[in-house]
Amino acid sequence: EVDYINSTGLRALLVYGKKLLDKEKTLVLLNLQENPKSVIELSGLLSQFPLFESLDDALNYCRQFIQ
């Protein structure tokens, strides 16, 4: 559970997201708290990563890439 994110955290998301993209994978965000969600939205990064409110939704999204 993350209730705060700063520029260092945003950069980590970008770097890790890029590494995954290079391997044809993606970073999935799950059930973000209000503050981190707002920061990620304002930074424009929310469009870079799929966001889900439930674990089941996130798992169903990921399963489509496994089959």
Side-chain angles (χ1 to χ4, degrees):
E1 183 174 308
V2 176
D3 58 6
Y4 173 81
I5 191 168
N6 61 16
S7 60
T8 303
L10 292 175
R11 185 175 191 295
L13 286 175
L14 281 172
V15 168
Y16 191 63
K18 170 80 170 91
K19 286 181 181 184
L20 288 172
L21 188 61
D22 290 344
K23 296 178 181 184
E24 298 182 4
K25 299 182 190 283
T26 189
L27 177 67
V28 174
L29 303 177
L30 176 63
N31 195 21
L32 291 178
Q33 301 296 315
E34 191 59 37
N35 185 17
K37 184 176 181 180
S38 295
V39 172
I40 292 169
E41 274 181 325
L42 288 171
S43 71
L45 291 180
L46 203 52
S47 64
Q48 301 290 320
F49 308 109
L51 170 63
F52 299 95
E53 296 300 320
S54 76
L55 179 57
D56 285 338
D57 289 342
L59 289 173
N60 286 333
Y61 174 82
C62 292
R63 283 186 188 111
Q64 72 181 334
F65 300 105
I66 295 171
Q67 298 174 354

